[in-house]
Amino acid sequence: MSPDSSKTAQCQICEELKPMSEVLPMRLVRDAVAEMMRKEHPSLADDGYVCLTDVNLYRMQRVRQLVAEEVGGLSAAEMAVVKSLEQQEVISTNVNRTFADKLTAGQRVADRVAEFGGSWPFIITFGAILLIWIATNSIGLMRKPFDPYPFILPNLCLSCLAAVQAPII
């Protein structure tokens, strides 16, 4: 725990005692927002604290005011955005999740095969298997190899693997 985690400060607006992580010194509040706060609470001191909840409420009022001045009023969509900001809701959707939800079973399998087939563990394992195959059959050349040079069987396996992986990856 940090040394300041046990310190608290009283909010000058709601008068609740809050941890220091949930308050902001009044001197750090932007002038336009601080002015709105002082209209309703004239006794706010610059050396005092205001909780983030109250600061955010006044920030939302300021956003409404600015949009109303600029546009002349808030549309339903703009009101929904302001309301979600007040409630600290997420109003956007995760497009990656939406895309993943629409994938077919075949597309999901293709993604998994591509993820595995292009990974370093797969490449290293496959390379090691090929080296073992070549070494085993090269040493076997002195006797009777089961797949003599030019190693047709692994060549066939590699060609089949490439034929399957190419359209997927």
Side-chain angles (χ1 to χ4, degrees):
M1 287 180 95
S2 66
D4 291 336
S5 64
S6 62
K7 293 186 179 179
T8 58
Q10 185 173 12
C11 173
Q12 295 184 79
I13 294 178
C14 66
E15 298 181 358
E16 290 181 24
L17 203 56
K18 304 266 184 161
M20 292 303 287
S21 61
E22 295 179 21
V23 293
L24 186 66
M26 190 60 195
R27 68 184 183 319
L28 295 180
V29 177
R30 292 189 180 259
D31 292 338
V33 176
E35 184 180 322
M36 290 178 74
M37 295 167 109
R38 284 195 174 96
K39 281 183 182 176
E40 292 182 30
H41 305 278
S43 63
L44 291 178
D46 282 341
D47 60 342
Y49 293 91
V50 181
C51 69
L52 295 175
T53 304
D54 290 333
V55 171
N56 287 334
L57 289 173
Y58 282 95
R59 284 178 180 159
M60 291 308 110
Q61 286 180 13
R62 179 70 178 145
V63 168
R64 278 195 191 116
Q65 181 185 22
L66 289 173
V67 172
E69 288 172 4
E70 187 70 28
V71 180
L74 296 177
S75 68
E78 291 165 335
M79 284 300 292
V81 169
V82 170
K83 185 177 180 181
S84 69
L85 287 171
E86 286 175 350
Q87 296 173 355
Q88 298 179 355
E89 293 176 340
V90 177
I91 58 171
S92 64
T93 58
N94 184 341
V95 293
N96 292 330
R97 183 174 292 134
T98 304
F99 177 76
D101 290 344
K102 292 182 181 180
L103 291 176
T104 65
Q107 290 170 327
R108 286 192 183 105
V109 169
D111 283 346
R112 288 195 184 108
V113 169
E115 185 178 323
F116 174 70
S119 68
W120 280 111
F122 174 80
I123 293 168
I124 291 168
T125 303
F126 207 79
I129 290 170
L130 287 175
L131 286 174
I132 291 168
W133 186 276
I134 291 169
T136 302
N137 283 289
S138 295
I139 294 169
L141 280 177
M142 296 176 195
R143 296 184 187 108
K144 184 171 169 111
F146 57 91
D147 185 23
Y149 180 81
F151 313 114
I152 300 300
L153 189 56
N155 190 14
L156 175 66
C157 292
L158 285 171
S159 297
C160 291
L161 181 65
V164 171
Q165 277 188 328
I168 294 174
I169 295 176

